[in-house]
Amino acid sequence: MARTGAAGEAEPLHRLTARDLESLARGGGEASALAELVRAEHSHRLLLLDVLLDTLARLDGVAGPLPAPGRAWDLLAAAQRWAPEAVRELLDLPETGLWAGQLLDRLHHPRPHDLPLWADVGHLHCLAAVAASRAGLDFSFPLPCVGGRVELPALGQVRLPARTAQETAVLAARAGAVTVTSPGGTVRVPDEPARPGPGWLPLRHVNLGLPGGEPFRLLLDDLGRHRVAARPAGAARRLGPETATRLIRLVQEGAELLAEADPVSAVTVAALLRTIQPMAAHEAFRVRSASSSYGVGGLALSLPESPSACAAALVHELQHSKLNALSHLFPLVEEGPGPGRLYYAPWRDDPRPLNGMLQGIYAFTGVARFWSGRTRLPGGAHDPLAWFEFALWRGQLVRALSQVGTDPELTRTGVRLVEEVHTAVAGWADDVPGGEPAREAVQLAGRLAADHRVLWRLHHVRPFPGDIEALAAAWLTGAAPLLPARRQEVTAERRQHHLDSRAVLARMALLDPASLDKLRDAVDDDGVPGVTGADPADVAWATGDPVAAEHAYQRTLLAASAPPAAWAGLRLTLDETGRNPSALRALTAVPEVVRAVARQLRGRTGQTADPVGLAQWLGRALAEDATSGEDRAGL
């Protein structure tokens, strides 16, 4: 068959109407736009496979003991003639795209790998064999057997006794019966592959039926080698029955919640979502999730703590999938000759390039839309956590959009996307929450948005050394400070994880204050159990004692090596108590300057300056200077 398409025919050109493009650019997507994205992504997958087959054809011995890749393609072509939809489904699997893209990366950038190249190439043989068996063909075909395991895409995994780490097995199909034989034995795949059997582990399924749509099934892939998320968190590990049942139930309940709170995202789930890969669990309010441009429609997900958390994670990753598919049609960024600008991404611990910023903006547009809808459900007007999440991400989106709108590397489509998302976000009215707890949650979201930005600056914004030396000299002589203008740089170092620790504690306080009180009793010198990155001062703040927290942060800052989190924590408590506006001003606008001067002074004198007094000194100068700290750093 011609390698222009699985059907032997070239796919038609793909076009989005102006209305479809507008609906996608605003972060949503009408059904017609999503259907066209799905068709276009199929064409993109065929092009990816075409490039892969051409690359393999130029290399000798890449299939090792297996038949040449061209023979596997011929078997796939034979299956396509009898069962085109089955072949299309296999080729469109997110895992197929992950395999093809990762294998191309491996071929173009060789490096040590734990899987022999021929076994990696052999996934094509596995795809062809499954397609041919689904088409009802009688055949036998060699497949890779790694550690006694043979992958059958979309079906499951054969497990055989293994003589060596890598060997071959033969899949044979006769009159509808499928067997897999290796030197270690033979396994028959059940006639109903969804049922387990001797030597056979089926992939689990998630059945979803969203209001107004046709029921459909997702794969729960905890077996395959081709993972969305990097190891070890994303490594395949068979879930126990109870964990699998719980994850399936959460996905079902999360999707149902989306249908109520955010119908736009529910339409996206039905149109795009094909596979969920479990990830290792993390901590409460820190759901792990991931997606890949190679595997549109697939996502990796750790066990969420609630249906709401699951719904937010589904939206987040499917927004990435949607934007990846759109960018396969319309590039959003024109790569320049040198490294592009690094930006503050309010949802990340590290600086991000333009493309990463667009991905984050698009993803959190969906997340904010979901939480906005959640506040409008019965009881939602008085749900402080929903209001907190909506206010937090809406505010962070406004900040992020203001940074990237004039970047010269945006394409015309990229500019339009930024403009349309900005319009959508601006259209979300600042509704008055339904009660005092909700109003307090909105105020808390603003404080913690500033807390994250300050922490990020402390880790990634570097003042010019000469300016810090001059400020330290002025402090020692009693002179007024002369603040530098635009003499800082953003570094790409990732010096710290978990800049959201205080936000996690805040969520705990909003959802279940009693659990936070119990956590306070469990705090010790090693940290806060279950909240990596937090310390006792953070718990004091989160449990409503900002004065005690401020004293604890100050004690930390008087030590020889004070972490950036203590400076940000001091700012947060000054914000809550309203004490010393000048110090608050400096710690909000130029926290990295305050910290750098404090370190310079300790290096010169061997003593630590009063942190509040130093911040107040710098803050008074800021009050007389119309140039904000953000303008200085170019952020």
Side-chain angles (χ1 to χ4, degrees):
M1 98 179 147
R3 288 211 310 271
T4 51
E9 297 177 359
E11 291 288 315
L13 293 176
H14 299 282
R15 295 183 177 87
L16 289 170
T17 66
R19 176 174 174 172
D20 285 345
L21 183 57
E22 179 181 346
S23 72
L24 289 167
R26 287 203 173 192
E30 296 182 354
S32 60
L34 294 169
E36 186 60 23
L37 278 189
V38 169
R39 288 190 291 269
E41 192 57 27
H42 176 70
S43 295
H44 183 268
R45 182 66 50 78
L46 295 177
L47 288 172
L48 183 65
L49 291 169
D50 198 46
V51 171
L52 176 60
L53 267 291
D54 281 344
T55 302
L56 292 173
R58 294 194 294 269
L59 303 173
D60 295 328
V62 290
L66 298 173
R71 286 189 56 196
W73 191 263
D74 290 341
L75 180 61
L76 195 64
Q80 184 274 333
R81 286 192 288 272
W82 294 98
E85 288 305 314
V87 172
R88 186 182 187 114
E89 179 185 343
L90 284 167
L91 296 186
D92 286 351
L93 280 174
E95 287 72 16
T96 301
L98 288 167
W99 160 73
Q102 291 167 359
L103 180 54
L104 274 170
D105 287 345
R106 178 178 182 177
L107 293 171
H108 290 145
H109 306 98
R111 56 189 177 273
H113 203 285
D114 58 0
L115 186 68
L117 179 59
W118 68 265
D120 205 354
V121 172
H123 190 73
L124 176 63
H125 300 64
C126 297
L127 285 166
V130 170
S133 66
R134 283 186 165 185
L137 302 181
D138 288 349
F139 68 97
S140 63
F141 205 64
L143 306 178
C145 181
V146 179
R149 301 179 182 188
V150 179
E151 308 287 344
L152 298 187
L155 299 179
Q157 189 180 82
V158 174
R159 295 194 168 184
L160 291 155
R163 298 186 311 171
T164 60
Q166 293 92 26
E167 54 193 9
T168 60
V170 175
L171 184 145
R174 295 287 183 274
V178 176
T179 59
V180 179
T181 302
S182 77
T186 297
V187 168
R188 174 167 176 171
V189 179
D191 293 339
E192 295 183 34
R195 295 181 177 275
W200 172 247
L201 278 181
L203 288 174
R204 296 182 174 104
H205 295 86
V206 182
N207 295 309
L208 291 183
L210 300 176
E214 294 293 327
F216 63 100
R217 291 198 315 171
L218 312 175
L219 290 175
L220 183 62
D221 182 3
D222 55 0
L223 294 173
R225 286 194 298 270
H226 305 102
R227 313 306 292 172
V228 172
R231 298 176 180 178
R237 181 177 299 172
R238 186 67 166 178
L239 296 179
E242 291 185 4
T243 304
T245 298
R246 186 180 173 196
L247 178 57
I248 289 170
R249 184 176 67 251
L250 282 166
V251 170
Q252 291 169 333
E253 293 174 353
E256 291 168 2
L257 180 57
L258 281 179
E260 296 180 81
D262 185 12
V264 171
S265 290
V267 172
T268 301
V269 168
L272 292 184
L273 187 56
R274 296 293 174 263
T275 304
I276 293 176
Q277 295 182 355
M279 291 178 71
H282 195 25
E283 298 173 344
F285 300 106
R286 282 173 169 162
V287 178
R288 281 186 170 125
S289 65
S291 52
S292 168
S293 62
Y294 288 136
V296 168
L299 59 89
L301 180 68
S302 67
L303 193 67
E305 67 269 7
S306 67
S308 290
C310 187
L314 291 176
V315 172
H316 182 123
E317 298 307 337
L318 285 173
Q319 288 289 105
H320 283 310
S321 266
K322 194 160 48 178
L323 192 63
N324 283 326
L326 181 63
S327 63
H328 290 159
L329 283 174
F330 303 100
L332 305 174
V333 175
E334 293 177 349
E335 300 293 342
R341 181 180 178 187
L342 292 174
Y343 289 97
Y344 166 55
W347 35 79
R348 296 276 301 214
D349 295 342
D350 55 334
R352 300 294 288 160
L354 178 59
N355 194 55
M357 286 296 292
L358 295 181
Q359 284 285 348
I361 286 168
Y362 200 76
F364 279 94
T365 298
V367 172
R369 186 180 60 228
F370 160 68
W371 286 112
S372 174
R374 186 76 179 86
T375 66
R376 293 192 293 272
L377 294 181
H382 303 279
D383 182 346
L385 182 61
W387 279 106
F388 173 84
E389 299 291 0
F390 169 59
L392 177 66
W393 298 123
R394 182 187 184 277
Q396 300 289 46
L397 281 167
V398 170
R399 175 176 293 279
L401 286 162
S402 69
Q403 293 183 80
V404 303
T406 58
D407 195 302
E409 291 188 356
L410 286 172
T411 64
R412 289 179 60 185
T413 305
V415 169
R416 182 172 182 184
L417 182 133
V418 171
E419 292 173 347
E420 294 291 350
V421 168
H422 189 276
T423 299
V425 172
W428 292 331
D430 290 322
D431 298 328
V432 178
E436 187 61 27
R439 284 192 288 271
E440 291 176 353
V442 171
Q443 294 173 351
L444 181 61
R447 290 196 188 102
L448 286 167
D451 184 55
H452 186 277
R453 185 185 68 86
V454 167
L455 263 172
W456 186 92
R457 289 183 69 110
L458 286 164
H459 282 289
H460 297 296
V461 180
R462 298 289 173 266
F464 184 65
D467 294 333
I468 300 305
E469 292 169 3
L471 286 169
W475 169 271
L476 291 172
T477 60
L482 180 62
L483 289 177
R486 298 186 69 87
R487 294 286 294 275
Q488 308 181 75
E489 65 175 354
V490 175
T491 71
E493 294 180 63
R494 183 162 186 169
R495 304 170 67 92
Q496 176 80 9
H497 297 276
H498 303 116
L499 301 188
D500 64 340
S501 298
R502 284 187 280 264
V504 170
L505 292 171
R507 291 179 173 102
M508 294 176 68
L510 291 170
L511 188 65
D512 184 8
S515 69
L516 196 58
D517 290 333
K518 293 178 182 178
L519 185 65
R520 179 177 53 190
D521 297 334
V523 170
D524 55 30
D525 293 338
D526 294 328
V528 180
V531 189
T532 304
D535 66 15
D538 297 328
V539 176
W541 165 80
T543 51
D545 195 348
V547 175
E550 180 183 333
H551 291 158
Y553 290 130
Q554 288 203 55
R555 285 194 299 271
T556 301
L557 291 171
L558 291 174
S561 179
W567 287 103
L570 176 61
R571 189 216 69 86
L572 184 60
T573 56
L574 291 175
D575 188 16
E576 289 210 355
T577 62
R579 192 173 72 84
N580 207 319
S582 293
L584 174 62
R585 186 182 302 114
L587 288 170
T588 299
V590 286
E592 66 285 346
V593 172
V594 182
R595 179 176 183 240
V597 173
R599 296 176 72 178
Q600 181 78 14
L601 289 170
R602 186 174 183 88
R604 286 192 182 190
T605 68
Q607 297 180 342
T608 303
D610 169 32
V612 175
L614 178 61
Q616 179 179 344
W617 178 69
L618 289 166
R620 287 172 178 164
L622 275 173
E624 300 170 0
D625 188 340
T627 305
S628 73
E630 287 188 65
D631 290 336
R632 295 173 191 281
L635 298 178

